[in-house]
Amino acid sequence: MKKNLLLITVILGLMGCDSFLEPKSDTLYIPKDVTSLDEMLLGSAYPRPTSTSVVISAGLQLLDDDVTCTSASGEVSSYNEPKVNSVRYIYSWQPNMFEEAAKVSMMYRGMWESQYKLILGANGALDYVDGVDGTYNEKTLVKAQAYALRGFYFFNLVNIFGEPYNHNPKALGIPLKLNSGVEQEDIARNTVEEVYKQVLEDLGDAEELYLSLPKDMQHKADLRTSLPMVQLLKSRVYLYMENWKEAAQYAKKVIDDWDFALIDLNTLELSTGTRTYYPFITRESSDVIWLFGQGGDITNYYSLETVGAGYTYRKIFNASAELTDGFKEGDLRKEWYIFRESYRFPDVFLAHGKIKTSSSTGILLENNAFTQAFRLAEAYLNLAEAAAMDGDETTALKALNDLREKRFTPGAPDVEVSGLTGSALVDKIRQERRLELCFEFHRWFDLRRYGMPSIKHVWNDGKGPVEYVLQEKDPGYTLPIPEVVMNQNRALIQNKLASPR
Protein backbone atom coordinates (compact mmCIF):
# COMPACT_ATOMS: atom_id res chain seq x y z
CA MET A 1 0.00 0.00 0.00
CA LYS A 2 2.89 2.32 0.78
CA LYS A 3 4.17 3.00 -2.69
CA ASN A 4 6.64 5.68 -3.69
CA LEU A 5 4.14 7.98 -5.34
CA LEU A 6 2.62 11.32 -4.53
CA LEU A 7 -0.44 11.48 -2.33
CA ILE A 8 -1.34 14.67 -4.10
CA THR A 9 -2.87 12.44 -6.78
CA VAL A 10 -5.40 11.19 -4.26
CA ILE A 11 -6.17 14.68 -2.98
CA LEU A 12 -6.71 16.08 -6.43
CA GLY A 13 -9.15 13.31 -7.21
CA LEU A 14 -11.05 13.93 -3.99
CA MET A 15 -11.12 17.69 -4.47
CA GLY A 16 -12.18 17.56 -8.08
CA CYS A 17 -9.17 19.53 -9.34
CA ASP A 18 -8.12 17.14 -12.09
CA SER A 19 -9.48 19.48 -14.77
CA PHE A 20 -6.56 21.78 -14.00
CA LEU A 21 -3.96 19.07 -14.59
CA GLU A 22 -2.18 17.46 -17.49
CA PRO A 23 -1.81 13.67 -17.38
CA LYS A 24 1.69 12.27 -16.95
CA SER A 25 0.47 8.67 -16.88
CA ASP A 26 -2.79 6.78 -16.52
CA THR A 27 -2.68 7.07 -12.75
CA LEU A 28 -0.67 10.19 -11.92
CA TYR A 29 -1.59 13.80 -12.70
CA ILE A 30 0.68 16.77 -12.19
CA PRO A 31 0.07 20.51 -12.64
CA LYS A 32 1.36 21.90 -15.91
CA ASP A 33 1.63 25.57 -14.87
CA VAL A 34 1.56 27.79 -11.80
CA THR A 35 -2.05 28.85 -12.37
CA SER A 36 -3.16 25.21 -12.19
CA LEU A 37 -1.06 24.70 -9.09
CA ASP A 38 -2.53 27.79 -7.46
CA GLU A 39 -6.04 26.47 -8.11
CA MET A 40 -5.02 23.13 -6.65
CA LEU A 41 -3.69 24.90 -3.53
CA LEU A 42 -6.99 26.73 -3.05
CA GLY A 43 -8.97 23.52 -3.41
CA SER A 44 -6.85 21.19 -1.29
CA ALA A 45 -5.01 23.31 1.29
CA TYR A 46 -7.50 25.98 2.38
CA PRO A 47 -10.19 25.32 5.03
CA ARG A 48 -13.06 26.85 3.09
CA PRO A 49 -16.73 26.74 4.13
CA THR A 50 -17.61 24.74 1.02
CA SER A 51 -15.24 21.96 2.14
CA THR A 52 -17.83 20.29 4.35
CA SER A 53 -15.58 17.40 5.33
CA VAL A 54 -12.88 19.72 6.65
CA VAL A 55 -13.23 20.58 10.34
CA ILE A 56 -10.27 22.03 12.19
CA SER A 57 -11.78 23.20 15.47
CA ALA A 58 -14.89 21.08 15.88
CA GLY A 59 -15.86 20.64 19.51
CA LEU A 60 -13.00 22.65 21.05
CA GLN A 61 -15.36 25.26 22.46
CA LEU A 62 -17.15 22.58 24.49
CA LEU A 63 -13.96 22.15 26.53
CA ASP A 64 -13.45 25.62 28.00
CA ASP A 65 -15.21 27.70 30.66
CA ASP A 66 -17.11 30.07 28.34
CA VAL A 67 -19.82 27.47 27.69
CA THR A 68 -22.32 25.84 30.02
CA CYS A 69 -25.11 23.33 29.68
CA THR A 70 -28.62 24.72 30.06
CA SER A 71 -30.44 24.42 33.37
CA ALA A 72 -33.80 24.61 31.63
CA SER A 73 -36.33 21.91 32.32
CA GLY A 74 -37.22 19.60 29.50
CA GLU A 75 -36.12 16.35 27.95
CA VAL A 76 -33.83 15.92 24.97
CA SER A 77 -35.82 15.04 21.89
CA SER A 78 -35.40 11.50 20.61
CA TYR A 79 -33.99 12.90 17.38
CA ASN A 80 -31.23 14.75 19.25
CA GLU A 81 -30.57 12.19 21.99
CA PRO A 82 -27.79 10.17 20.28
CA LYS A 83 -25.88 13.34 19.43
CA VAL A 84 -26.44 14.82 22.86
CA ASN A 85 -25.08 11.69 24.52
CA SER A 86 -21.94 11.77 22.36
CA VAL A 87 -21.39 15.49 22.96
CA ARG A 88 -21.55 14.87 26.69
CA TYR A 89 -18.29 12.89 26.43
CA ILE A 90 -16.55 15.92 24.92
CA TYR A 91 -18.08 18.38 27.39
CA SER A 92 -16.90 16.25 30.33
CA TRP A 93 -13.34 15.73 28.98
CA GLN A 94 -13.69 11.95 28.77
CA PRO A 95 -10.68 9.98 27.45
CA ASN A 96 -12.88 8.16 24.92
CA MET A 97 -14.56 11.31 23.56
CA PHE A 98 -13.55 10.63 19.96
CA GLU A 99 -14.81 7.07 19.95
CA GLU A 100 -18.19 8.06 21.40
CA ALA A 101 -18.54 11.01 19.02
CA ALA A 102 -17.72 8.71 16.12
CA LYS A 103 -20.87 6.71 16.77
CA VAL A 104 -22.92 9.60 15.42
CA SER A 105 -20.27 10.99 13.05
CA MET A 106 -19.40 13.94 15.28
CA MET A 107 -15.87 15.18 15.96
CA TYR A 108 -14.45 11.70 15.31
CA ARG A 109 -10.89 11.91 13.95
CA GLY A 110 -11.86 15.03 11.99
CA MET A 111 -9.49 17.56 13.51
CA TRP A 112 -6.50 15.28 13.01
CA GLU A 113 -7.43 13.84 9.63
CA SER A 114 -8.74 17.10 8.16
CA GLN A 115 -5.66 19.11 9.00
CA TYR A 116 -3.22 16.47 7.77
CA LYS A 117 -5.15 16.35 4.52
CA LEU A 118 -4.75 20.12 4.24
CA ILE A 119 -1.05 19.83 5.12
CA LEU A 120 -0.75 17.30 2.30
CA GLY A 121 -2.23 19.84 -0.10
CA ALA A 122 0.29 22.47 1.01
CA ASN A 123 3.14 19.97 0.73
CA GLY A 124 2.04 19.04 -2.77
CA ALA A 125 2.21 22.66 -3.86
CA LEU A 126 5.71 23.00 -2.41
CA ASP A 127 6.84 19.76 -4.05
CA TYR A 128 5.62 20.80 -7.50
CA VAL A 129 6.02 24.57 -7.71
CA ASP A 130 9.60 24.73 -8.93
CA GLY A 131 8.83 22.40 -11.84
CA VAL A 132 5.86 24.21 -13.38
CA ASP A 133 5.70 27.11 -15.81
CA GLY A 134 5.19 30.57 -14.39
CA THR A 135 6.83 33.81 -13.33
CA TYR A 136 8.99 34.22 -10.24
CA ASN A 137 6.31 36.27 -8.48
CA GLU A 138 3.57 33.74 -9.25
CA LYS A 139 5.65 30.85 -7.91
CA THR A 140 6.74 32.85 -4.88
CA LEU A 141 3.14 33.63 -4.01
CA VAL A 142 2.20 29.94 -4.14
CA LYS A 143 5.13 29.04 -1.89
CA ALA A 144 4.30 31.78 0.60
CA GLN A 145 0.72 30.57 0.91
CA ALA A 146 1.73 26.94 1.29
CA TYR A 147 4.23 27.67 4.06
CA ALA A 148 1.76 29.92 5.88
CA LEU A 149 -0.97 27.29 5.76
CA ARG A 150 1.28 24.43 6.82
CA GLY A 151 2.61 26.46 9.74
CA PHE A 152 -0.93 27.25 10.84
CA TYR A 153 -2.05 23.62 10.77
CA PHE A 154 1.01 22.33 12.61
CA PHE A 155 0.51 25.00 15.26
CA ASN A 156 -3.17 24.20 15.65
CA LEU A 157 -2.57 20.46 15.86
CA VAL A 158 0.24 20.63 18.40
CA ASN A 159 -1.90 22.76 20.69
CA ILE A 160 -4.71 20.21 20.52
CA PHE A 161 -2.72 16.98 20.82
CA GLY A 162 0.48 18.12 22.55
CA GLU A 163 1.09 19.59 25.99
CA PRO A 164 1.41 23.39 26.29
CA TYR A 165 4.81 24.65 25.15
CA ASN A 166 5.37 26.71 28.31
CA HIS A 167 4.57 23.66 30.45
CA ASN A 168 6.57 20.88 28.80
CA PRO A 169 8.25 21.58 25.44
CA LYS A 170 9.90 18.15 25.52
CA ALA A 171 6.54 16.35 25.55
CA LEU A 172 5.37 14.49 22.47
CA GLY A 173 3.62 16.69 19.93
CA ILE A 174 2.57 15.57 16.46
CA PRO A 175 4.34 13.97 13.47
CA LEU A 176 5.93 16.49 11.11
CA LYS A 177 4.94 15.55 7.58
CA LEU A 178 7.02 17.74 5.24
CA ASN A 179 6.37 16.25 1.80
CA SER A 180 3.51 14.81 -0.21
CA GLY A 181 4.97 11.36 -0.69
CA VAL A 182 3.64 8.22 0.95
CA GLU A 183 6.00 7.22 3.74
CA GLN A 184 7.62 3.80 3.64
CA GLU A 185 7.33 3.56 7.42
CA ASP A 186 4.98 4.86 10.08
CA ILE A 187 5.87 8.32 11.38
CA ALA A 188 6.57 8.93 15.05
CA ARG A 189 5.55 12.05 16.94
CA ASN A 190 7.97 14.94 17.13
CA THR A 191 8.28 16.85 20.40
CA VAL A 192 6.27 19.99 21.06
CA GLU A 193 9.52 21.96 20.86
CA GLU A 194 10.40 20.48 17.48
CA VAL A 195 6.96 21.25 16.11
CA TYR A 196 7.14 24.87 17.28
CA LYS A 197 10.56 25.17 15.64
CA GLN A 198 9.07 23.92 12.36
CA VAL A 199 6.12 26.29 12.69
CA LEU A 200 8.47 29.24 13.05
CA GLU A 201 10.56 28.01 10.11
CA ASP A 202 7.46 27.74 7.93
CA LEU A 203 6.16 31.15 8.97
CA GLY A 204 9.62 32.64 8.58
CA ASP A 205 9.84 31.26 5.04
CA ALA A 206 6.36 32.58 4.27
CA GLU A 207 7.27 36.02 5.63
CA GLU A 208 10.51 36.20 3.64
CA LEU A 209 8.73 35.15 0.46
CA TYR A 210 5.94 37.70 0.91
CA LEU A 211 8.50 40.45 1.58
CA SER A 212 10.22 39.63 -1.71
CA LEU A 213 6.98 40.39 -3.57
CA PRO A 214 5.61 43.79 -4.57
CA LYS A 215 3.50 45.44 -1.86
CA ASP A 216 0.25 44.86 -3.75
CA MET A 217 0.90 41.11 -3.72
CA GLN A 218 1.64 40.90 0.01
CA HIS A 219 -2.01 41.28 0.94
CA LYS A 220 -5.18 41.11 -1.14
CA ALA A 221 -8.79 40.89 -0.07
CA ASP A 222 -9.07 37.53 -1.82
CA LEU A 223 -9.55 35.13 1.13
CA ARG A 224 -6.01 33.79 0.85
CA THR A 225 -3.17 34.01 3.35
CA SER A 226 -1.08 37.18 3.37
CA LEU A 227 1.87 38.85 5.03
CA PRO A 228 -0.24 40.40 7.85
CA MET A 229 -1.86 36.99 8.46
CA VAL A 230 1.61 35.47 8.85
CA GLN A 231 2.72 38.30 11.14
CA LEU A 232 -0.32 37.94 13.39
CA LEU A 233 0.19 34.18 13.59
CA LYS A 234 3.87 34.68 14.47
CA SER A 235 2.78 37.04 17.23
CA ARG A 236 0.46 34.35 18.57
CA VAL A 237 3.12 31.64 18.38
CA TYR A 238 5.65 33.79 20.24
CA LEU A 239 3.01 34.66 22.85
CA TYR A 240 2.43 30.96 23.53
CA MET A 241 6.21 30.50 23.78
CA GLU A 242 6.45 33.46 26.21
CA ASN A 243 8.88 35.22 23.89
CA TRP A 244 7.39 38.58 24.82
CA LYS A 245 9.59 40.84 22.70
CA GLU A 246 8.92 38.97 19.45
CA ALA A 247 5.21 38.65 20.24
CA ALA A 248 4.97 42.41 20.75
CA GLN A 249 7.09 43.20 17.69
CA TYR A 250 4.91 41.19 15.31
CA ALA A 251 1.68 42.47 16.84
CA LYS A 252 2.90 46.04 16.22
CA LYS A 253 3.65 45.20 12.59
CA VAL A 254 0.04 44.14 12.08
CA ILE A 255 -1.28 47.28 13.79
CA ASP A 256 1.12 49.84 12.29
CA ASP A 257 2.00 48.57 8.81
CA TRP A 258 -1.44 47.80 7.39
CA ASP A 259 -4.74 49.60 6.90
CA PHE A 260 -6.97 47.34 8.97
CA ALA A 261 -9.17 49.21 11.45
CA LEU A 262 -11.02 48.26 14.63
CA ILE A 263 -14.78 48.38 14.26
CA ASP A 264 -16.28 51.00 16.56
CA LEU A 265 -19.29 49.26 18.09
CA ASN A 266 -20.83 52.66 18.78
CA THR A 267 -21.34 53.09 15.03
CA LEU A 268 -23.47 49.96 14.66
CA GLU A 269 -27.23 50.21 14.76
CA LEU A 270 -29.79 47.67 15.90
CA SER A 271 -32.31 46.76 13.25
CA THR A 272 -35.97 47.02 14.13
CA GLY A 273 -38.12 43.95 14.56
CA THR A 274 -36.48 40.55 14.43
CA ARG A 275 -32.79 41.13 14.89
CA THR A 276 -30.18 39.89 12.47
CA TYR A 277 -26.83 39.95 14.18
CA TYR A 278 -24.02 41.94 12.64
CA PRO A 279 -21.63 39.55 10.86
CA PHE A 280 -18.15 40.40 12.12
CA ILE A 281 -16.63 37.31 10.50
CA THR A 282 -16.88 38.51 6.88
CA ARG A 283 -14.54 39.89 4.25
CA GLU A 284 -16.31 43.26 4.54
CA SER A 285 -15.23 43.75 8.16
CA SER A 286 -12.46 46.33 8.45
CA ASP A 287 -10.64 44.33 11.13
CA VAL A 288 -10.64 40.92 9.41
CA ILE A 289 -7.21 39.81 8.19
CA TRP A 290 -7.98 36.24 7.10
CA LEU A 291 -11.15 34.13 6.96
CA PHE A 292 -11.37 30.37 7.29
CA GLY A 293 -13.51 27.55 8.70
CA GLN A 294 -16.99 26.26 8.00
CA GLY A 295 -20.31 25.89 9.78
CA GLY A 296 -19.75 22.33 10.97
CA ASP A 297 -17.21 23.58 13.49
CA ILE A 298 -20.08 25.34 15.27
CA THR A 299 -23.56 24.22 14.29
CA ASN A 300 -23.01 20.48 14.89
CA TYR A 301 -22.87 21.19 18.61
CA TYR A 302 -24.95 24.29 19.26
CA SER A 303 -28.07 23.25 17.36
CA LEU A 304 -28.90 20.58 19.96
CA GLU A 305 -32.05 21.26 22.00
CA THR A 306 -34.20 20.18 24.91
CA VAL A 307 -37.96 20.23 24.60
CA GLY A 308 -40.28 21.10 27.47
CA ALA A 309 -44.00 21.39 28.04
CA GLY A 310 -45.88 22.72 25.05
CA TYR A 311 -42.97 21.82 22.80
CA THR A 312 -40.85 24.72 24.03
CA TYR A 313 -37.40 24.16 22.56
CA ARG A 314 -34.23 25.48 24.08
CA LYS A 315 -30.62 25.13 23.02
CA ILE A 316 -28.52 22.79 25.18
CA PHE A 317 -25.47 25.07 25.35
CA ASN A 318 -25.37 28.65 26.60
CA ALA A 319 -22.67 31.22 27.29
CA SER A 320 -21.49 30.74 30.87
CA ALA A 321 -22.47 33.26 33.52
CA GLU A 322 -18.77 33.72 34.28
CA LEU A 323 -18.31 35.02 30.74
CA THR A 324 -21.43 37.16 30.45
CA ASP A 325 -20.97 38.67 33.92
CA GLY A 326 -17.53 39.83 32.84
CA PHE A 327 -19.03 42.48 30.55
CA LYS A 328 -19.41 45.62 32.63
CA GLU A 329 -21.66 48.66 32.28
CA GLY A 330 -21.33 50.31 28.90
CA ASP A 331 -19.56 47.36 27.24
CA LEU A 332 -21.31 46.89 23.91
CA ARG A 333 -19.75 43.50 23.22
CA LYS A 334 -22.28 41.63 25.33
CA GLU A 335 -25.01 42.61 22.88
CA TRP A 336 -23.02 42.41 19.67
CA TYR A 337 -20.67 39.48 20.19
CA ILE A 338 -22.90 36.82 21.78
CA PHE A 339 -26.13 35.57 20.28
CA ARG A 340 -29.14 36.34 22.48
CA GLU A 341 -32.13 34.11 21.86
CA SER A 342 -34.42 37.10 22.21
CA TYR A 343 -37.39 35.60 20.43
CA ARG A 344 -38.10 32.96 23.09
CA PHE A 345 -35.68 33.46 25.99
CA PRO A 346 -34.54 37.11 26.17
CA ASP A 347 -32.21 36.44 29.10
CA VAL A 348 -30.39 33.53 27.47
CA PHE A 349 -27.06 34.01 25.69
CA LEU A 350 -26.08 31.15 23.41
CA ALA A 351 -22.59 29.79 23.04
CA HIS A 352 -21.67 31.41 19.74
CA GLY A 353 -21.62 34.78 18.05
CA LYS A 354 -20.01 37.16 15.54
CA ILE A 355 -21.42 35.20 12.60
CA LYS A 356 -24.58 36.04 10.69
CA THR A 357 -27.42 34.34 12.54
CA SER A 358 -31.18 34.56 12.81
CA SER A 359 -32.60 35.84 16.09
CA SER A 360 -35.49 33.38 15.89
CA THR A 361 -33.50 30.20 15.26
CA GLY A 362 -29.94 30.96 16.37
CA ILE A 363 -28.47 29.25 13.33
CA LEU A 364 -26.32 30.40 10.45
CA LEU A 365 -28.20 32.33 7.80
CA GLU A 366 -25.64 31.48 5.14
CA ASN A 367 -24.60 27.84 4.96
CA ASN A 368 -21.42 28.64 3.07
CA ALA A 369 -20.30 31.48 5.33
CA PHE A 370 -16.88 31.53 6.96
CA THR A 371 -17.05 30.99 10.71
CA GLN A 372 -13.54 31.92 11.93
CA ALA A 373 -11.12 34.76 11.31
CA PHE A 374 -7.82 36.36 12.21
CA ARG A 375 -8.88 39.78 13.50
CA LEU A 376 -6.98 42.97 14.26
CA ALA A 377 -8.26 42.97 17.84
CA GLU A 378 -6.03 39.99 18.60
CA ALA A 379 -2.96 42.02 17.63
CA TYR A 380 -3.87 44.68 20.22
CA LEU A 381 -4.35 42.02 22.88
CA ASN A 382 -1.14 40.19 21.98
CA LEU A 383 0.74 43.47 22.16
CA ALA A 384 -0.84 44.42 25.49
CA GLU A 385 -0.10 41.08 27.16
CA ALA A 386 3.42 40.72 25.77
CA ALA A 387 4.34 44.29 26.71
CA ALA A 388 2.93 43.90 30.22
CA MET A 389 4.80 40.64 30.76
CA ASP A 390 7.98 42.32 29.50
CA GLY A 391 7.60 45.28 31.89
CA ASP A 392 6.54 47.84 29.26
CA GLU A 393 3.34 48.86 31.01
CA THR A 394 2.95 52.13 29.09
CA THR A 395 2.68 50.26 25.79
CA ALA A 396 0.43 47.63 27.37
CA LEU A 397 -2.03 50.20 28.72
CA LYS A 398 -2.16 52.10 25.44
CA ALA A 399 -2.92 48.97 23.42
CA LEU A 400 -5.58 47.93 25.92
CA ASN A 401 -7.25 51.34 25.98
CA ASP A 402 -7.12 51.80 22.21
CA LEU A 403 -9.19 48.63 21.94
CA ARG A 404 -11.61 49.45 24.77
CA GLU A 405 -12.34 52.88 23.30
CA LYS A 406 -14.08 51.13 20.38
CA ARG A 407 -16.02 48.77 22.62
CA PHE A 408 -17.69 50.97 25.27
CA THR A 409 -20.31 53.67 25.08
CA PRO A 410 -18.86 57.18 25.54
CA GLY A 411 -18.83 58.19 29.18
CA ALA A 412 -19.20 54.66 30.51
CA PRO A 413 -17.48 54.20 33.88
CA ASP A 414 -13.95 52.83 33.87
CA VAL A 415 -13.58 52.75 30.09
CA GLU A 416 -9.96 53.82 30.39
CA VAL A 417 -7.79 51.47 32.38
CA SER A 418 -5.15 53.18 34.51
CA GLY A 419 -3.12 52.61 37.65
CA LEU A 420 -2.72 48.86 37.15
CA THR A 421 0.73 47.31 37.23
CA GLY A 422 2.34 43.89 37.45
CA SER A 423 0.10 40.84 37.72
CA ALA A 424 -3.03 42.97 38.15
CA LEU A 425 -2.45 44.52 34.72
CA VAL A 426 -1.79 41.13 33.13
CA ASP A 427 -4.98 39.73 34.68
CA LYS A 428 -6.96 42.68 33.30
CA ILE A 429 -5.54 42.18 29.81
CA ARG A 430 -6.30 38.46 29.89
CA GLN A 431 -9.85 39.14 31.01
CA GLU A 432 -10.17 41.61 28.13
CA ARG A 433 -8.88 38.90 25.79
CA ARG A 434 -11.56 36.53 27.04
CA LEU A 435 -14.32 39.05 26.39
CA GLU A 436 -13.07 40.31 23.03
CA LEU A 437 -12.22 36.93 21.50
CA CYS A 438 -15.08 34.92 23.00
CA PHE A 439 -16.23 31.98 20.89
CA GLU A 440 -13.38 32.37 18.39
CA PHE A 441 -11.59 29.19 19.54
CA HIS A 442 -8.94 31.02 21.60
CA ARG A 443 -10.11 30.34 25.15
CA TRP A 444 -9.15 26.64 25.40
CA PHE A 445 -5.65 27.34 24.15
CA ASP A 446 -5.35 30.34 26.48
CA LEU A 447 -6.37 28.29 29.52
CA ARG A 448 -3.66 25.80 28.64
CA ARG A 449 -0.91 28.43 28.52
CA TYR A 450 -2.23 30.16 31.67
CA GLY A 451 -1.23 27.09 33.67
CA MET A 452 -4.21 24.78 33.04
CA PRO A 453 -6.43 25.92 35.93
CA SER A 454 -9.21 23.79 37.36
CA ILE A 455 -12.59 24.38 35.71
CA LYS A 456 -16.02 22.89 36.24
CA HIS A 457 -18.80 21.89 33.88
CA VAL A 458 -22.35 21.11 34.94
CA TRP A 459 -24.38 18.90 32.63
CA ASN A 460 -28.16 19.28 32.68
CA ASP A 461 -30.20 17.87 29.83
CA GLY A 462 -33.45 17.87 31.78
CA LYS A 463 -32.68 14.79 33.86
CA GLY A 464 -30.87 16.52 36.69
CA PRO A 465 -27.47 18.23 36.97
CA VAL A 466 -24.21 16.29 36.97
CA GLU A 467 -20.93 18.03 37.83
CA TYR A 468 -17.63 17.34 36.08
CA VAL A 469 -14.28 18.83 37.13
CA LEU A 470 -11.13 19.29 35.08
CA GLN A 471 -8.44 19.47 37.73
CA GLU A 472 -5.47 21.83 37.59
CA LYS A 473 -2.91 20.50 35.06
CA ASP A 474 -5.25 17.61 34.33
CA PRO A 475 -4.18 15.23 31.50
CA GLY A 476 -7.52 16.20 29.94
CA TYR A 477 -5.97 19.50 28.88
CA THR A 478 -4.25 17.50 26.12
CA LEU A 479 -6.69 15.63 23.92
CA PRO A 480 -6.21 11.92 23.20
CA ILE A 481 -5.19 10.87 19.73
CA PRO A 482 -8.20 9.09 18.19
CA GLU A 483 -7.85 5.33 18.28
CA VAL A 484 -8.56 5.05 14.56
CA VAL A 485 -5.50 7.25 13.95
CA MET A 486 -3.41 5.20 16.37
CA ASN A 487 -4.37 2.04 14.50
CA GLN A 488 -3.32 3.53 11.16
CA ASN A 489 0.09 4.67 12.40
CA ARG A 490 1.68 2.18 14.78
CA ALA A 491 4.61 4.51 15.50
CA LEU A 492 2.35 6.85 17.47
CA ILE A 493 2.45 6.85 21.26
CA GLN A 494 -0.81 7.80 22.95
CA ASN A 495 -1.00 10.77 25.32
CA LYS A 496 -1.46 10.16 29.02
CA LEU A 497 -5.19 9.72 29.28
CA ALA A 498 -7.41 11.45 31.78
CA SER A 499 -9.35 9.24 34.17
CA PRO A 500 -12.96 8.56 33.18
CA ARG A 501 -15.26 11.11 34.83
Side-chain angles (χ1 to χ4, degrees), residues 231-460:
Q231 292 169 336
L232 182 54
L233 183 52
K234 288 188 78 171
S235 174
R236 188 188 303 178
V237 173
Y238 282 125
L239 191 74
Y240 284 25
M241 297 176 71
E242 299 185 350
N243 184 334
W244 310 123
K245 283 185 170 27
E246 295 284 0
Q249 175 187 334
Y250 277 97
K252 281 183 63 65
K253 287 179 183 292
V254 177
I255 296 168
D256 296 340
D257 296 351
W258 304 95
D259 59 358
F260 304 106
L262 294 171
I263 297 173
D264 188 344
L265 299 189
N266 288 284
T267 65
L268 304 181
E269 295 182 1
L270 290 173
S271 59
T272 58
T274 301
R275 175 173 177 170
T276 298
Y277 277 74
Y278 184 87
F280 293 92
I281 309 299
T282 66
R283 63 192 304 174
E284 290 77 28
S285 293
S286 63
D287 70 339
V288 164
I289 297 168
W290 182 53
L291 291 163
F292 63 100
Q294 53 100 2
D297 278 330
I298 295 176
T299 55
N300 281 350
Y301 305 93
Y302 301 130
S303 61
L304 303 175
E305 297 178 319
T306 60
V307 56
Y311 294 97
T312 302
Y313 291 91
R314 182 168 174 176
K315 295 291 189 294
I316 288 282
F317 294 110
N318 310 142
S320 69
E322 184 181 351
L323 172 65
T324 57
D325 290 348
F327 296 98
K328 303 306 180 185
E329 181 180 351
D331 192 336
L332 297 168
R333 290 174 294 193
K334 187 174 183 179
E335 290 295 331
W336 286 107
Y337 280 8
I338 310 178
F339 183 86
R340 185 194 288 258
E341 199 172 7
S342 56
Y343 180 71
R344 292 173 293 181
F345 301 100
D347 296 326
V348 173
F349 289 87
L350 298 183
H352 64 82
K354 302 191 180 102
I355 52 180
K356 193 171 184 179
T357 52
S358 164
S359 62
S360 60
T361 63
I363 60 174
L364 290 171
L365 290 181
E366 299 175 2
N367 291 332
N368 291 332
F370 288 96
T371 56
Q372 297 182 61
F374 280 32
R375 295 194 301 120
L376 179 63
E378 184 193 347
Y380 280 88
L381 293 162
N382 291 356
L383 174 59
E385 182 177 345
M389 293 296 292
D390 201 35
D392 185 358
E393 294 176 345
T394 299
T395 296
L397 283 167
K398 184 179 186 309
L400 181 62
N401 287 321
D402 285 349
L403 175 64
R404 286 170 63 87
E405 180 185 4
K406 306 294 186 182
R407 302 298 182 249
F408 283 77
T409 56
D414 303 320
V415 173
E416 183 174 352
V417 178
S418 62
L420 293 181
T421 61
S423 61
L425 177 57
V426 173
D427 289 344
K428 181 66 175 177
I429 292 167
R430 288 179 171 178
Q431 172 66 2
E432 196 73 17
R433 183 181 182 89
R434 180 181 190 179
L435 301 178
E436 175 65 31
L437 302 180
C438 62
F439 302 127
E440 293 186 59
F441 298 93
H442 287 273
R443 182 62 177 172
W444 177 246
F445 295 150
D446 284 339
L447 287 171
R448 283 164 42 90
R449 68 185 181 88
Y450 294 162
M452 298 177 282
S454 178
I455 58 178
K456 179 178 70 175
H457 279 173
V458 176
W459 178 266
N460 193 344

Side-chain angles (χ1 to χ4, degrees), residues 98-341:
F98 287 103
E99 286 65 48
E100 290 299 321
K103 294 178 180 178
V104 288
S105 300
M106 296 181 71
M107 200 173 186
Y108 193 27
R109 59 189 177 189
M111 288 188 295
W112 180 286
E113 187 177 64
S114 291
Q115 288 180 93
Y116 271 107
K117 182 181 291 185
L118 294 168
I119 288 168
L120 196 58
N123 285 341
L126 292 171
D127 287 346
Y128 275 111
V129 66
D130 288 329
V132 300
D133 296 330
T135 67
Y136 169 83
N137 284 354
E138 290 171 332
K139 293 183 180 182
T140 297
L141 188 58
V142 167
K143 289 181 181 179
Q145 293 175 76
Y147 280 122
L149 291 165
R150 190 172 73 179
F152 172 61
Y153 302 134
F154 281 149
F155 180 67
N156 204 46
L157 281 165
V158 78
N159 280 287
I160 296 171
F161 297 105
E163 294 182 34
Y165 180 94
N166 62 351
H167 171 68
N168 185 9
K170 301 298 183 182
L172 291 177
I174 58 168
L176 289 173
K177 173 66 175 170
L178 302 177
N179 60 67
S180 60
V182 177
E183 299 294 334
Q184 297 301 307
E185 298 179 358
D186 292 331
I187 310 176
R189 299 171 67 182
N190 293 84
T191 67
V192 170
E193 186 175 48
E194 290 169 340
V195 176
Y196 266 74
K197 180 181 178 182
Q198 184 63 49
V199 169
L200 289 177
E201 286 183 7
D202 282 351
L203 297 182
D205 287 341
E207 181 182 27
E208 183 177 350
L209 290 163
Y210 274 121
L211 286 171
S212 72
L213 293 169
K215 184 75 172 181
D216 63 356
M217 295 183 71
Q218 294 174 5
H219 173 261
K220 297 180 179 180
D222 60 359
L223 306 179
R224 294 178 183 255
T225 64
S226 64
L227 180 54
M229 174 269 184
V230 170
Q231 292 169 336
L232 182 54
L233 183 52
K234 288 188 78 171
S235 174
R236 188 188 303 178
V237 173
Y238 282 125
L239 191 74
Y240 284 25
M241 297 176 71
E242 299 185 350
N243 184 334
W244 310 123
K245 283 185 170 27
E246 295 284 0
Q249 175 187 334
Y250 277 97
K252 281 183 63 65
K253 287 179 183 292
V254 177
I255 296 168
D256 296 340
D257 296 351
W258 304 95
D259 59 358
F260 304 106
L262 294 171
I263 297 173
D264 188 344
L265 299 189
N266 288 284
T267 65
L268 304 181
E269 295 182 1
L270 290 173
S271 59
T272 58
T274 301
R275 175 173 177 170
T276 298
Y277 277 74
Y278 184 87
F280 293 92
I281 309 299
T282 66
R283 63 192 304 174
E284 290 77 28
S285 293
S286 63
D287 70 339
V288 164
I289 297 168
W290 182 53
L291 291 163
F292 63 100
Q294 53 100 2
D297 278 330
I298 295 176
T299 55
N300 281 350
Y301 305 93
Y302 301 130
S303 61
L304 303 175
E305 297 178 319
T306 60
V307 56
Y311 294 97
T312 302
Y313 291 91
R314 182 168 174 176
K315 295 291 189 294
I316 288 282
F317 294 110
N318 310 142
S320 69
E322 184 181 351
L323 172 65
T324 57
D325 290 348
F327 296 98
K328 303 306 180 185
E329 181 180 351
D331 192 336
L332 297 168
R333 290 174 294 193
K334 187 174 183 179
E335 290 295 331
W336 286 107
Y337 280 8
I338 310 178
F339 183 86
R340 185 194 288 258
E341 199 172 7

